[in-house]
Amino acid sequence: MTPVKTKVAIIGTGNIGADLLVKIRRSPLLECALFMGRNLDSPGMRFAASLGTPISDQSISALAEDPDCCEIVFDATSASIHLQHAPVLKALGKFAIDLTPSKTGCMCIPVINAEACLEEPNVNLVTCGGQATVPLAYAISQVHPDVQYIEVVASIASRSAGPGTRANIDEFTQTTKDAILHFTGVPKAKTIIILNPAEPPILMRNTIYALIPNPDMEALRLSVKQMEKRIQKYVPGYQVIMEPVFENGRVTTMVQVTGLGDYLPPYSGNLDIITCAAVHIAEMFARKKQESAHE
Amino acid sequence: MNKLRFFDATLRDGSHANAHQITTDCISSYCAAIDDAGLYTVVVGHGNGLGASSLQVGLSLHTEEEMLAAAKPYLKKTRLGVYLIPGFGTIHDHIAPAIAQGVQLVKVGCHCTEADVTKQHIEYARAHDVEAYGVLMMSHMAEPERLLQEAKKMESYGALGVILMDSAGALLPKQVAERVKRIVSECGLLVGFHAHNNMSLAVANTLAALDAGAAIVDATLRGFGAGAGNCQLEVLCGILQKMSVETGLDFYRLLDVCDTIVAARLQKKPSEITSLSLVGGLSGVFSAFTEHIKKAAVRFNVDPRDIFVELGKRKVVGGQEDMIVDVAMNLAQRTRKDDISFLMESLL
């Protein structure tokens, strides 16, 4: 028997919203019931319409009018708009997955705290830089709780940073840093975000530096390798391109993210990593609901 | 002609040349001595600005708070300025505390095609009664028309002016004039120019910018700055006097500060055009990469000139210091092309 798919809705018809839609249509557990924005002529909206997905230009009001259309809502708008959406979604009793750097809900890095997040009404996916770098920072801090300082540098192609990312660059930088502090417990952290306009566009590249008094490099390499494997289960293009090395008194490791090339080209690994994480959480929510229905 | 505004980047760009080890004592002495010289602002802090002290770019000897506190009491006539590149520093962690310490001017910089990332920071500064200027870094990488579009964005955010940075020292005087003229003629902003001296053109390029209508000079005493250094401010001042251009600067005071502080206490050695910085300018690579490239060349036993050329091909931008190690590793692994073919390619 084919299980009934859990219905979801997407607010925000930009690159992230459209990419989510492609991934959801491929999911055996999820079905997109409504794709909402403000402009019926936007490329993302026309794309959704061409796939036969129900669309609306009334944004979140469309959801308030038909609250039973879905159980899960993805918000791919912007940090300030999500602050307005969050109480509405809560009142409607929806499981909200926030892809903006608003930090409204529980910060979620699926590979670290997915289970706990399923109990929350609002889950925040930090930032793409956070999804890429926090797991490795966490893997390092698990081996070395005495790590003194962690710094991450995320370089992304200009072309894959849409108007939303640019308008939120300050929250992006701050939220990524806050997430590293939150998940690793390190006393001090720093995030650097670089937009690179090179043509052809570069793949998303992240460097993680850690200051550790006497690093156990073998254990660090193993921990990072295991973390890479676990993330690859939901982000296939996640690849450690330089395993931890000790140089200049610091531990350095580098990861590259190639996108699946769903709505955007493969160089947009920065978008892919956050939409993959969002769909992964939604699928876990759906699976858990189905299991409890069978009991 | 507008009254010229002289932005002094000696303590900031010079920070790169000193591996970010300028002491608070030197900052205080410098500010006390230069306050009367007629400068518009003295910019203080890490070479890449607020929030840039990092393993990626280099750690500062002192915190920003210490550096600003060392400068503030001694600047009574000259504005205390800071630089910030969005993505390095944030409003919460860096701009707000700096303003609380009495900073009166903020320069917000970005790669020359990415002006929209400066919106939040320029708007925040203006909302707090702080002068804000946009900076377009690596301005050799965009054509005049594109620079104009980016400058107009900064104008719409409330910037009072836009400074074109020739971060790699890669522009020729004619190219500088074209860029400045395009913005001056179609945009209400004051235009400034910040030169690097890789091709021995820093002073000539600054004169070309002024001739094309620039109203802001962003330069350093003794050219103290990253790589081959900057437009040498006291030299420019002397030339402008000879040309009978009113500068409002105290020429002898600048010379005194050059001798007693910059040469005597800040510079370990004079800024010079080394073979490497020349290759860097010709390949269009960010001047502040020089020291990192030298280290990587030794570590991976490759020719530093090859690293410059390869980085130029990859069009790396300011802040991508992590690419240096990557390029050096790749060069060490692959069969070396001969030097002549590398040099030829860099000139194309």
Side-chain angles (χ1 to χ4, degrees):
Chain A
M1 179 186 103
T2 317
V4 180
K5 288 185 175 183
T6 300
K7 297 237 171 47
V8 306
I10 299 169
I11 318 177
T13 66
N15 292 337
I16 296 259
D19 195 66
L20 272 174
L21 179 60
V22 177
K23 290 179 167 56
I24 288 162
R25 283 169 56 86
R26 204 164 48 222
S27 168
L29 299 169
L30 307 173
E31 178 182 342
C32 184
L34 189 55
F35 190 77
M36 294 162 276
R38 293 238 168 252
N39 179 3
L40 290 178
D41 267 340
S42 73
M45 194 71 100
R46 288 204 302 265
F47 173 72
S50 75
L51 298 175
T53 304
I55 58 172
S56 166
D57 62 354
Q58 297 302 304
S59 197
I60 197 167
S61 311
L63 192 62
E65 275 170 32
D66 184 13
D68 295 331
C69 75
C70 68
E71 289 178 62
I72 301 172
V73 178
F74 296 94
D75 192 337
T77 57
S78 72
S80 58
I81 295 177
H82 183 70
L83 291 178
Q84 299 163 25
H85 288 173
V88 179
L89 296 174
K90 192 172 182 196
L92 292 172
K94 303 300 172 199
F95 180 58
I97 300 177
D98 172 21
L99 291 92
T100 79
S102 80
K103 285 197 289 183
T104 313
C106 162
M107 281 203 281
C108 175
I109 302 290
V111 76
I112 303 175
N113 69 338
E115 288 294 338
C117 290
L118 296 180
E119 307 300 324
E120 299 282 336
N122 187 314
V123 171
N124 174 257
L125 289 173
V126 192
T127 60
C128 62
Q131 291 295 337
T133 59
V134 172
L136 293 188
Y138 179 79
I140 290 168
S141 71
Q142 290 295 102
V143 174
H144 275 287
D146 59 335
V147 55
Q148 306 287 307
Y149 172 74
I150 294 177
E151 178 176 311
V152 307
V153 183
S155 299
I156 60 181
S158 288
R159 275 219 266 160
S160 68
T165 304
R166 288 154 183 275
N168 282 322
I169 186 92
D170 202 60
E171 290 85 348
F172 184 165
T173 314
Q174 189 78 40
T175 301
T176 307
K177 182 198 111 168
D178 292 347
I180 289 170
L181 291 175
H182 174 78
F183 283 103
T184 65
V186 68
K188 198 166 168 237
K190 171 153 201 67
T191 298
I192 296 173
I193 311 287
I194 311 280
L195 298 184
N196 185 319
E199 294 288 342
I202 58 157
L203 293 169
M204 185 199 202
R205 166 80 62 96
N206 307 278
T207 300
I208 294 105
Y209 300 109
L211 292 182
I212 301 166
N214 292 299
D216 179 347
M217 295 310 297
E218 205 39 56
L220 283 172
R221 277 191 273 272
L222 187 65
S223 180
V224 162
K225 190 83 204 155
Q226 286 169 344
M227 185 55 85
E228 177 191 27
K229 285 220 171 74
R230 289 170 60 201
I231 296 171
Q232 282 171 346
K233 283 182 188 156
Y234 63 94
V235 190
Y238 190 88
Q239 192 192 3
V240 173
I241 53 170
M242 186 169 106
E243 63 174 12
V245 293
F246 188 64
E247 45 98 32
N248 276 328
R250 64 197 187 186
V251 174
T252 306
T253 180
M254 244 184 232
V255 63
Q256 181 169 288
V257 189
T258 312
L260 286 169
D262 285 332
Y263 181 69
L264 290 162
Y267 63 75
S268 295
N270 54 311
L271 303 187
D272 211 56
I273 194 164
I274 198 163
T275 52
C276 281
V279 171
H280 182 64
I281 286 290
E283 286 182 337
M284 285 178 74
F285 182 88
R287 199 173 290 122
K288 190 173 170 191
K289 200 195 67 170
Q290 284 170 11
E291 282 164 8
S292 59
H294 282 291
E295 280 165 9
Chain B
M1 192 176 182
N2 281 324
K3 190 164 182 291
L4 295 178
R5 296 181 181 186
F6 291 89
F7 285 24
D8 178 10
T10 309
L11 294 175
R12 181 196 63 77
D13 215 320
S15 156
H16 282 300
N18 232 350
H20 314 291
Q21 302 299 301
I22 294 179
T23 64
T24 46
D25 191 38
C26 282
I27 292 173
S28 295
S29 307
Y30 183 91
C31 291
I34 203 105
D35 192 36
D36 271 337
L39 297 166
Y40 193 82
T41 181
V42 168
V43 176
V44 175
H46 188 283
N48 273 20
L50 297 178
S53 174
S54 56
L55 296 173
Q56 171 86 348
V57 185
L59 294 167
S60 293
L61 177 63
H62 296 290
T63 65
E64 278 155 16
E65 194 185 353
E66 289 163 354
M67 288 191 272
L68 294 175
K72 181 65 187 169
Y74 300 98
L75 294 176
K76 301 195 167 69
K77 299 180 179 165
T78 312
R79 294 161 184 78
L80 173 59
V82 290
Y83 184 46
L84 174 117
I85 303 173
F88 280 91
T90 64
I91 292 170
H92 177 269
D93 286 354
H94 306 97
I95 296 188
I99 292 175
Q101 277 190 272
V103 160
Q104 296 145 297
L105 185 149
V106 179
K107 297 198 303 181
V108 185
C110 64
H111 183 74
C112 60
T113 54
E114 313 293 319
D116 40 7
V117 302
T118 62
K119 180 172 190 280
Q120 291 177 294
H121 312 80
I122 291 175
E123 287 179 350
Y124 183 88
R126 298 291 284 138
H128 290 77
D129 288 328
V130 168
E131 289 190 29
Y133 295 80
V135 174
L136 296 172
M137 294 160 63
M138 300 287 275
S139 56
H140 71 284
M141 287 174 80
E143 294 303 311
E145 178 58 30
R146 178 63 187 267
L147 294 174
L148 171 66
Q149 298 312 320
E150 301 298 312
K152 281 185 173 170
K153 288 182 198 167
M154 288 171 157
E155 184 179 27
S156 74
Y157 309 149
L160 303 174
V162 62
I163 295 163
L164 300 182
M165 228 183 225
D166 182 15
S167 316
L171 286 171
L172 303 174
K174 182 165 164 279
Q175 297 174 303
V176 174
E178 285 166 359
R179 283 164 168 74
V180 171
K181 208 168 279 175
R182 188 88 182 96
I183 301 174
V184 170
S185 64
E186 296 205 29
C187 168
L189 289 175
L190 296 175
V191 178
F193 187 69
H194 171 98
H196 275 272
N197 203 35
N198 300 59
M199 301 190 292
S200 200
L201 287 171
V203 172
N205 279 347
T206 307
L207 288 170
L210 292 174
D211 197 42
I216 300 170
V217 170
D218 195 288
T220 65
L221 289 183
R222 289 181 59 81
F224 185 40
N230 305 100
C231 170
Q232 199 161 341
L233 181 54
E234 74 282 12
V235 174
L236 183 80
C237 175
I239 294 172
L240 290 173
Q241 284 193 3
K242 196 175 168 76
M243 292 166 66
S244 300
V245 173
E246 177 54 45
T247 63
L249 295 174
D250 181 338
F251 180 50
Y252 277 10
R253 174 59 61 92
L254 294 184
L255 297 183
D256 289 342
V257 177
C258 282
D259 296 342
T260 61
I261 299 179
V262 183
R265 296 176 59 192
L266 289 176
Q267 283 181 303
K268 287 181 197 147
K269 58 178 176 51
S271 296
E272 60 170 342
I273 302 168
T274 60
S275 307
L276 210 49
S277 50
L278 174 59
V279 174
L282 293 170
S283 1
V285 172
F286 196 44
S287 295
F289 282 14
T290 311
E291 294 306 315
H292 301 275
I293 289 173
K294 283 192 210 162
K295 272 190 206 159
V298 172
R299 177 153 182 258
F300 294 97
N301 192 28
V302 294
D303 188 327
R305 291 170 293 192
D306 294 348
I307 303 180
F308 264 114
V309 172
E310 184 61 25
L311 287 168
K313 275 191 216 154
R314 294 201 195 181
K315 294 194 167 68
V316 294
V317 302
Q320 281 194 292
E321 278 82 346
D322 49 340
M323 291 289 281
I324 297 169
V325 172
D326 191 48
V327 163
M329 274 171 64
N330 278 323
L331 284 172
Q333 282 161 8
R334 85 180 178 215
T335 317
R336 291 268 305 280
K337 291 187 192 176
D338 66 277
D339 292 343
I340 293 168
S341 69
F342 262 116
L343 195 59
M344 291 302 289
E345 284 170 30
S346 77
L347 295 170
L348 293 177

